[in-house]
Amino acid sequence: MADMTSQDMAGRLIAAGFERSGPSATVLTDPIADTPMVVTLDQLRPYDHDPRMKRNPAYEEIKASIRERGLDAAPAITRRPGDGHYIIRNGGNTRLAILRELWTETKDERFFRISCLFRPWPARGEIVALTGHLAENELRGGLTFIERALGIEKARQFYEEESGGPLSQSELARRLTADGYPVQQSHISRMADAVRYLLPAIPTVLYGGLGRHQVERLSVMRRACERTWEHYAKGRSLPLDFYNFFQEVLSQFDVKADEFAPQRVQDELIGQMSDLLGVNYDVLALDLNESESRHRALFSDPTPPSTPSALPEPGAIACPPVGPAPTIDTPSPKTTRSTSAPLTLQNDTTAGITAAGNPSAAPGELVLDHIVSPAPTTERLQSIQRMIADQLGDALPPDFSANVLESIPVQAGGLYPISDIWYIDPGLDAPDRLRVHIAQFAREIAGEAALDELIEERADGIGFACRTQLPCPPGHAVLTLLGSLAGQRPADADRNEQLVNDLPTLLHGQDDVTRRLSDTALVKLFRLLRLARRLLDLEAGATDRDS
């Protein structure tokens, strides 16, 4: 065989037989694990089922911060299988809108290219994304009643698609709770009524921020009117049915939320019903008021008693309902009691002292003074808890308003509201449940520095771990503190020393008050420590029994 020349070899290499015959990969598949990546604004879209429809009240403040500092914590992103664009995974649509505005105004590349954490689309992606956005919006600024109602209605649709059939309100409440967004069944009922009967007639009022109590009053009024209508319209031919009648009357009051007056709605309903039904106005008003009273007695929150409950006798010991009382090491600046004496409520009306040695504070003022952030609760819920406890012989959970004069508990809102740092409900007193609550508190504390995405739930330890990523100050101090609580020791001495330097600022604001934890986060930190101690006690007890 003759030797091949270089020209012959080149000819054979570029012959047709060596050409690529298979399909080429034009688009890379998404990562299958959490992966940092850089995306541009034209690749990213807001979450299309975001429950927030109104502009975030803190929009301008967030925009000013991003303009000056850049995006300290970019939102997590994901992508539905087969979609061409990424979407916000949970919480971050406001930041995305601000980046688009800033890019349009400045053409600065730092607002166009964003370093994000990509998280793969989960198996139950739509439900996980929607409940995540609902919970995130509640934590970062709250939603209006109707926004929350529409979000839960969309969640119902997703759950029904998943299960292949309709869901009851109690089952919907159970599934929402299991997916990290607890809502009481009674609230779901009010929200469904608002979406079906009120939203078509008064969207401006509802989107303007009409609250739960006013929505409940309208719902009670509608039911009472419907019962009265059915009683007097029975066997008669009328030009329209009650649904259309109610919509026509209510739509006349679609004004700004602060101008809306439910009493005017009721007067107009009774007046027009009187004309249509030929019944005296006063007779209809009496029937309507009686019907509303019956409904409130059965389904609404009971009115608090007009007279205060009896106070303990002087010298009575104020004990917590369950578990040992916390040890008081130092006297509070608001009290003059000795630390060696039991906590008591001094009832000295002559001197005008109401509680805790404070001569000027009324009981109601003391309650307000010790609320860090409101925790949703109602008199009706508390009365049901008392009734169940009486039937089962269980100890009652602490009542915040009643006990504030004795033990001065602290109240803070969140996904798991806190009304007493020390008390642990029997339903929570299990390692797996404690870990869920501990991880949520850690996530909410880290959320103050917009680092909640760096908190991972764990089925061991105290329930969470921090990713090893080192964010920029001031967030790194929060993350390092949480990591140390979870048993993660910094690998280098510099971070140990930095944590020691940052702790005074983080806890009480030495040198820089603006960088310390908020009062809400501090309460959650104390609660996290309490639950972690209980978790370790439970597991130590289980280990002792096994050995």
Side-chain angles (χ1 to χ4, degrees):
M1 180 178 178
D3 292 339
M4 292 180 63
T5 64
S6 58
Q7 290 81 2
D8 293 337
M9 185 176 295
R12 292 195 177 189
L13 288 173
I14 64 176
F18 284 89
E19 292 179 353
R20 181 187 296 274
S21 58
S24 58
T26 57
V27 179
L28 294 176
T29 59
D30 288 331
I32 61 174
D34 292 0
T35 305
M37 62 170 57
V38 176
V39 296
T40 58
L41 289 181
D42 55 6
Q43 294 176 295
L44 190 55
R45 296 287 184 272
Y47 177 59
D48 44 354
H49 300 304
D50 183 24
R52 186 188 292 279
M53 299 181 183
K54 288 185 61 182
R55 180 161 154 152
N56 191 319
Y59 188 94
E60 293 300 332
E61 290 83 352
I62 299 172
K63 182 177 179 179
S65 175
I66 294 176
R67 185 194 296 274
E68 295 299 323
R69 298 165 47 85
L71 197 62
D72 286 338
I77 62 173
T78 188
R79 178 156 60 181
R80 295 184 180 97
D83 273 11
H85 295 92
Y86 299 101
I87 60 173
I88 302 295
R89 187 177 186 273
N90 58 300
N93 288 317
T94 296
R95 282 171 282 172
L96 177 58
I98 288 171
L99 288 172
R100 293 188 186 281
E101 277 191 17
L102 291 173
W103 165 246
T104 302
E105 295 169 5
T106 66
K107 299 301 180 184
D108 190 333
E109 280 289 317
R110 67 194 177 110
F111 301 132
F112 184 70
R113 299 184 182 279
I114 316 166
S115 297
C116 295
L117 178 68
F118 175 85
R119 306 192 72 176
W121 184 256
R124 302 172 66 241
E126 296 294 354
I127 293 173
V128 171
L130 179 56
T131 53
H133 276 273
L134 282 166
E136 184 72 14
N137 277 300
E138 291 285 358
L139 292 173
R140 290 186 179 273
L143 298 169
T144 63
F145 184 89
I146 195 61
E147 286 174 333
R148 191 181 300 111
L150 290 170
I152 289 178
E153 188 61 28
K154 176 60 71 172
R156 178 202 293 275
Q157 295 176 19
F158 289 149
Y159 283 122
E160 289 180 347
E161 290 173 6
E162 181 183 54
S163 61
L167 294 181
S168 65
Q169 291 179 352
S170 58
E171 177 63 15
L172 176 59
R174 188 192 68 77
R175 295 199 182 195
L176 285 168
T177 300
D179 285 321
Y181 188 67
V183 183
Q184 296 178 16
Q185 185 271 329
S186 59
H187 290 178
I188 292 177
S189 176
R190 296 186 187 106
M191 291 174 182
D193 278 357
V195 172
R196 181 178 179 185
Y197 299 109
L198 306 183
L199 184 59
I202 51 170
T204 303
V205 175
L206 290 170
Y207 287 128
L210 195 69
R212 177 176 70 87
H213 295 294
Q214 289 178 297
V215 170
E216 179 181 358
R217 182 177 178 185
L218 282 176
S219 296
V220 172
M221 186 190 305
R222 184 196 64 80
R223 293 191 185 99
C225 284
E226 186 173 19
R227 283 190 290 270
T228 303
W229 175 284
E230 290 174 351
H231 174 71
Y232 288 104
K234 189 173 183 180
R236 301 178 58 180
S237 177
L238 296 172
L240 71 171
D241 59 11
F242 177 78
Y243 176 84
N244 291 316
F245 165 76
F246 183 79
Q247 295 294 311
E248 287 183 8
V249 174
L250 187 60
S251 62
Q252 301 173 29
F253 299 90
D254 193 24
V255 294
K256 293 181 180 179
D258 56 358
E259 299 174 0
F260 183 77
Q263 186 59 48
R264 291 176 56 201
V265 177
Q266 179 169 309
D267 291 342
E268 187 66 21
L269 282 168
I270 296 174
Q272 294 201 26
M273 283 175 64
S274 177
D275 293 340
L276 277 171
L277 299 174
V279 181
N280 182 270
Y281 179 99
D282 293 332
V283 172
L284 288 177
L286 181 61
D287 287 351
L288 190 63
N289 289 332
E290 288 181 354
S291 184
E292 286 186 11
S293 299
R294 286 196 300 271
H295 187 277
R296 287 197 179 94
L298 290 172
F299 302 106
S300 299
D301 303 336
T303 56
S306 56
T307 58
S309 56
L311 299 176
E313 293 296 328
I317 299 176
C319 299
V322 176
T327 302
I328 309 284
D329 295 325
T330 57
S332 167
K334 291 189 177 182
T335 182
T336 57
R337 300 188 200 90
S338 168
T339 55
S340 61
L343 296 178
T344 60
L345 175 63
Q346 303 296 332
N347 185 9
D348 188 352
T349 55
T350 304
I353 298 175
T354 56
N358 188 343
S360 60
E365 294 171 344
L366 283 174
V367 172
L368 293 176
D369 287 343
H370 293 93
I371 294 178
V372 175
S373 60
T377 185
T378 64
E379 286 290 329
R380 178 171 178 78
L381 176 60
Q382 293 174 7
S383 66
I384 292 173
Q385 290 175 336
R386 287 192 292 269
M387 181 176 65
I388 294 174
D390 289 340
Q391 292 291 328
L392 300 179
D394 291 338
L396 281 172
D399 180 85
F400 178 80
S401 299
N403 291 352
V404 68
L405 303 179
E406 302 174 7
S407 59
I408 312 184
V410 183
Q411 187 178 94
L415 189 57
Y416 300 120
I418 302 168
S419 59
D420 190 296
I421 293 173
W422 193 256
Y423 175 78
I424 296 176
D425 187 86
L428 173 61
D429 201 19
D432 56 338
R433 294 291 300 151
L434 289 169
R435 285 191 175 93
V436 171
H437 281 238
I438 290 170
Q440 180 61 31
F441 288 135
R443 191 177 297 112
E444 292 177 12
I445 294 169
E448 287 213 344
L451 299 174
D452 42 320
E453 290 292 337
L454 299 181
I455 302 296
E456 296 179 332
E457 292 189 19
R458 296 282 296 272
D460 56 357
I462 64 170
F464 74 95
C466 303
R467 295 205 185 95
T468 55
Q469 176 179 347
L470 180 62
C472 297
H476 77 281
V478 176
L479 205 64
T480 306
L481 172 63
L482 292 172
S484 66
L485 295 179
Q488 297 173 267
R489 301 290 183 266
D492 56 285
D494 289 340
R495 289 191 66 183
N496 271 315
E497 183 178 355
Q498 187 64 41
L499 177 60
V500 173
N501 294 332
D502 285 337
L503 272 179
T505 300
L506 192 65
L507 296 179
H508 54 69
Q510 179 178 314
D511 299 328
D512 187 356
V513 176
T514 62
R515 287 180 53 196
R516 71 183 179 189
L517 288 175
S518 70
D519 291 344
T520 299
L522 191 61
V523 171
K524 292 174 181 177
L525 178 62
F526 290 152
R527 182 62 171 170
L528 184 155
L529 293 172
R530 164 62 175 149
L531 297 184
R533 289 158 63 101
R534 178 58 180 165
L535 169 64
L536 297 176
D537 288 345
L538 287 175
E539 295 199 326
T543 303
D544 292 341
R545 287 194 299 271
D546 293 339
S547 58

